[in-house]
Amino acid sequence: MIRVLIADDEEMIRTALAALLRLEPDIEIVAECADGEQAVAEATRLTPDVCLFDVEMPGLDGIDAAERLRRTVPTRVVAVTRHARPGVLRRALAAGVQGFMPKSRRAQDVAEVIRRVAAGQRYVDPEIAADALSDERSPLTDRELAVLRAGAHGETTVRIAASLHLSPGTVRNHVSSILGKLHLDTRQQAVLEARRRGWI
């Protein structure tokens, strides 16, 4: 049996997908979680073979949850998303996600990807992969993206600096560089643009 943990903040989608996957003879759903924090805690406790994470969850999203688990739990991750932007795919792969697919796929397709990933293979939806090859890469450095991610919910410069172990002045310099590269006026605009492009 392939032991699977599902995390999705939309209860109807989560419970429906879990019910459909339970019909598969070789898949056992060991937990259903409503957010990334709960998913990490349950995955740490249960060590499932595969975690099926929604990318867009409040707080700790599916990709950040996968990144956290990569360092602590021997599990593999399939990420599903409603907005399959190429930048999100690149971020997911960098976080160690082994499978990536849109939510529009059938439950049978999800089950097949779970089997492939559990067997040690990788899977990226072909349409998303094609889009990623033609999409413009982020002009921001990894540190600049980290600053945007740390301030994505309106955190102050001082809090961003503390979370990244930087000085407030360094954070302000990064924000200034970000705004110049993106030709924007505010950090909030930069966060929205980075999210739209799938960079954070």
Side-chain angles (χ1 to χ4, degrees), residues 2-199:
I2 302 169
R3 300 171 67 253
V4 176
L5 178 149
I6 298 177
D8 194 313
D9 61 314
E10 296 182 74
E11 183 177 1
M12 187 168 68
I13 291 175
R14 183 180 71 248
T15 55
L17 183 57
L20 290 168
L21 289 175
R22 283 189 174 102
L23 299 175
E24 301 292 328
D26 57 342
I27 292 177
E28 176 189 3
I29 304 301
V30 297
E32 297 176 44
C33 304
D35 59 56
E37 292 286 355
Q38 183 187 14
V40 169
E42 286 296 280
T44 301
R45 184 174 71 86
L46 298 168
T47 60
D49 300 308
V50 177
C51 291
L52 184 67
F53 286 167
D54 178 22
V55 170
E56 297 90 10
M57 291 189 286
L60 191 69
D61 71 18
I63 296 174
D64 289 336
E67 173 71 37
R68 195 176 291 182
L69 287 178
R70 180 171 66 166
R71 299 189 295 266
T72 58
V73 180
T75 187
R76 299 175 69 78
V77 176
V78 175
V80 295
T81 180
R82 192 182 306 278
H83 308 290
R85 299 176 300 261
V88 176
L89 170 61
R90 283 194 287 271
R91 192 175 144 234
L93 294 177
V97 167
Q98 289 86 14
F100 194 89
M101 63 192 304
K103 277 189 171 182
S104 58
R105 295 295 181 256
R106 301 173 308 154
Q108 295 93 327
D109 296 332
V110 177
E112 187 53 39
V113 170
I114 287 171
R115 291 184 186 103
R116 290 173 67 170
V117 167
Q121 300 174 28
R122 288 183 172 271
Y123 176 84
V124 175
D125 180 81
E127 290 178 23
I128 299 173
D131 287 344
L133 291 173
S134 62
D135 188 64
E136 177 187 354
R137 287 190 172 272
S138 167
L140 306 180
T141 66
D142 289 344
R143 180 60 82 181
E144 288 166 347
L145 290 170
V147 166
L148 281 185
R149 205 171 287 122
H153 301 290
E155 288 82 355
T156 64
T157 298
V158 171
R159 289 198 56 184
I160 295 169
S163 69
L164 297 176
H165 308 291
L166 300 172
S167 72
T170 300
V171 170
R172 282 190 285 273
N173 288 341
H174 283 309
V175 170
S176 177
S177 175
I178 290 165
L179 297 180
K181 289 178 180 179
L182 299 183
H183 309 290
L184 296 171
D185 298 321
T186 68
R187 194 180 83 209
Q188 183 181 16
Q189 291 173 333
V191 167
L192 292 174
E193 177 67 7
R195 281 183 174 152
R196 185 184 71 80
R197 300 296 297 270
W199 298 337

